[in-house]
Amino acid sequence: MFKPQLSALSAALLLAGIAGQAHAEDLSQLWEGGKVGIDARYRYEHVDQDNALNNANAQTLRTRITLQSGKWYGLSALVEADNVSRIGSDNYNDTRNGQSQYSVVADPDGSEVNQALLRYDYSLGNVVVGRQRINLDNQRFVGGVAWRQNEQTYDGALTQFKPLDNLTLTYAYIDQVNTLFGPDDNRFTAAGNPANIDGHSHLMNAQYVLAPELTVTAYRYMLGLDNLSNRTQSSTTNGLRLNGTVAGVTYAAEYASQSEYASNPKNIDADYYLVEAGYTFKDLNSLMLKGGYEVLEGDEDNSKGAFQTPLATKHMFQGWADIFLTTPQAGVKDTYFGGSMPLLGGNVQAWYHDFRAEAGSSHYGDEFNVAYGRPLPWVKGLSALVKYADYNADDYAVDTQKLWVQLQYTY
């Protein structure tokens, strides 16, 4: 009489054991599907400015270890740690070392958790929670500043939702920005350059790819930056970007308006404009030429603030000498052109910028940029870069020359 019950119980236990084993096997995918990444980037940076500061000569090494798990029912995790170390003498001002007699090379020493996040992927999108890298569109408004040795990352939550194949909706809430000036503040910390920016920011971005000829992106970025410049860079930015390729010509057109937000004491009413076009000549060794005109509005009579982009990857815009990291009160008009092409197994590029005030008639200056980078054949994952920027001042800042020599190994 007990045999059927015992048989049923045995079957149930057997099924539970099989399910448990399958569950354990599924869970093992987290580490069996994981991988370890190693990245080491050595850089020499020289800065020569036409002022009383001594020339800067910085040698730094950024070492990065990344632990990426596999996926378990759409869940995964990532932890990434960075160390930036000075090599040799500190004949430069890293904004933390007290060497204010030298020009700035903003690569402070230190170790930090660069990313630590949980991610959930599902059929219509993903959710990421924790410290993470956020690069939106071309990084003109929100980016990671990956050029500097200490990358800018964000503490918060981000979700992307794709209700249609060509439509991506992105929302992010940011509680803290871990800036390139970190990981720590000290008594030498320069005003306006905190290691961490506290606040409450909301990023909304909707992108629809109609065709290769047209991608439409609408965005609204509400930046509450409590301890950055006494909240004077807290803002709401609403914008629309169009870009695509027509008959081989790449183009971008963008407009944005900016106003004050989150108890910003300034009255901001400024606009942003961009028009850009480029073409690649395949018959001329894939020579790519591009030109553009970018405007960040200002106000000459100082009654309102200029258009600012505090979370942007600014090194990608307005010249590599980084003269305009903060938009001048009179704004900036940047007319630029240049190009790139393959050369000797690598890529060479050159750019020219002409900078003028948006409000008023001042000619700030002009800048020439040139760079050559290529992978090195001796070691897989090893690459080299030489880069130069020359800013010639007229009515703004001082003549500035910067030279970089870089070796990077990625595994």
Side-chain angles (χ1 to χ4, degrees):
M1 176 158 193
F2 292 99
K3 287 183 179 181
Q5 296 178 7
L6 288 172
S7 298
L9 180 59
S10 299
L13 290 173
L14 178 61
L15 289 174
I18 293 173
Q21 182 179 359
H23 182 77
E25 289 177 354
D26 287 344
L27 191 60
S28 69
Q29 295 174 9
L30 282 173
W31 53 87
E32 289 178 358
K35 57 184 179 181
V36 178
I38 299 174
D39 182 275
R41 185 166 75 182
Y42 162 82
R43 178 181 293 161
Y44 166 75
E45 181 168 344
H46 172 79
V47 182
D48 182 354
Q49 294 182 289
D50 188 16
N51 55 21
L53 296 174
N54 295 329
N55 293 349
N57 290 284
Q59 294 189 78
T60 56
L61 176 66
R62 195 227 26 224
T63 306
R64 170 176 293 170
I65 298 177
T66 305
L67 305 177
Q68 170 69 65
S69 78
K71 286 187 179 180
W72 179 66
Y73 292 101
L75 288 171
S76 62
L78 182 144
V79 176
E80 186 173 79
D82 286 0
N83 172 266
V84 180
S85 296
R86 170 176 54 84
I87 299 175
S89 60
D90 58 347
N91 296 332
Y92 60 99
N93 177 9
D94 71 3
T95 74
R96 296 295 186 270
N97 61 0
Q99 298 287 68
S100 57
Q101 70 272 31
Y102 292 97
S103 294
V104 170
V105 176
D107 291 323
D109 288 2
S111 298
E112 186 173 33
V113 175
N114 195 51
Q115 295 191 87
L117 60 89
L118 293 174
R119 179 183 175 108
Y120 175 65
D121 290 282
Y122 62 105
S123 60
L124 295 179
N126 61 76
V127 179
V128 183
V129 178
R131 179 166 297 182
Q132 57 192 284
R133 180 182 294 117
I134 301 178
N135 294 318
L136 295 180
D137 301 325
N138 64 342
Q139 303 183 47
R140 190 61 184 101
F141 297 102
V142 181
V145 201
W147 169 248
R148 296 262 47 110
Q149 296 286 57
N150 184 28
E151 186 179 12
Q152 178 169 279
T153 56
Y154 301 86
D155 293 353
L158 180 146
T159 180
Q160 288 189 316
F161 178 58
K162 299 190 68 170
L164 304 172
D165 287 343
N166 297 334
L167 177 63
T168 303
L169 306 176
T170 302
Y171 169 76
Y173 170 77
I174 298 171
D175 180 65
Q176 177 174 283
V177 182
N178 310 293
T179 76
L180 61 93
F181 299 103
D184 301 310
D185 290 322
N186 61 28
R187 64 190 182 91
F188 297 118
T189 299
N193 295 330
N196 302 301
I197 303 173
D198 300 322
H200 306 283
S201 299
H202 304 269
L203 312 177
M204 290 160 275
N205 184 292
Q207 184 177 89
Y208 186 68
V209 181
L210 280 80
E213 292 79 13
L214 178 61
T215 295
V216 179
T217 305
Y219 52 84
R220 179 178 175 86
Y221 303 138
M222 304 165 66
L223 307 183
L225 309 175
D226 294 347
N227 61 323
L228 180 63
S229 303
N230 296 317
R231 299 193 179 189
T232 58
Q233 296 211 25
S234 295
S235 63
T236 295
T237 301
N238 300 306
L240 181 69
R241 177 180 173 87
L242 310 176
N243 66 282
T245 303
V246 178
V249 176
T250 61
Y251 74 91
E254 190 166 358
Y255 167 78
S257 62
Q258 191 171 90
S259 58
E260 69 276 7
Y261 176 70
S263 302
N264 187 335
K266 284 190 174 182
N267 174 32
I268 302 176
D269 182 12
D271 295 332
Y272 170 88
Y273 307 90
L274 170 72
V275 289
E276 182 182 84
Y279 187 78
T280 299
F281 298 87
K282 295 182 179 179
D283 294 337
L284 297 177
N285 194 30
S286 296
L287 170 65
M288 186 280 293
L289 297 178
K290 182 184 292 185
Y293 179 66
E294 184 186 53
V295 179
L296 285 75
E297 276 192 347
D299 180 34
E300 195 173 28
D301 64 12
N302 207 30
S303 63
K304 63 180 183 180
F307 194 104
Q308 303 290 346
T309 60
L311 301 187
T313 300
K314 300 177 189 179
H315 186 75
M316 295 172 62
F317 306 92
Q318 298 178 328
W320 299 337
D322 290 335
I323 302 298
F324 301 97
L325 296 179
T326 299
T327 306
Q329 182 59 36
V332 180
K333 295 190 295 186
D334 177 15
T335 303
Y336 59 92
F337 62 87
S340 66
M341 64 181 294
L343 179 67
L344 301 175
N347 187 272
V348 62
Q349 57 178 309
W351 302 93
Y352 173 80
H353 296 260
D354 180 80
F355 300 109
R356 298 177 184 270
E358 186 279 326
S361 57
S362 293
H363 179 245
Y364 290 152
D366 56 21
E367 181 172 331
F368 176 71
N369 301 152
V370 63
Y372 177 72
R374 62 159 296 171
L376 299 178
W378 317 301
V379 178
K380 184 179 180 181
L382 183 65
S383 62
L385 173 71
V386 179
K387 187 171 174 178
Y388 177 73
D390 186 359
Y391 174 75
N392 299 293
D394 192 353
D395 296 331
Y396 187 81
V398 298
D399 292 350
T400 301
Q401 292 83 44
K402 295 186 178 184
L403 172 67
W404 300 270
V405 179
Q406 177 177 291
L407 288 174
Q408 185 165 1
Y409 172 75
T410 303
Y411 171 79

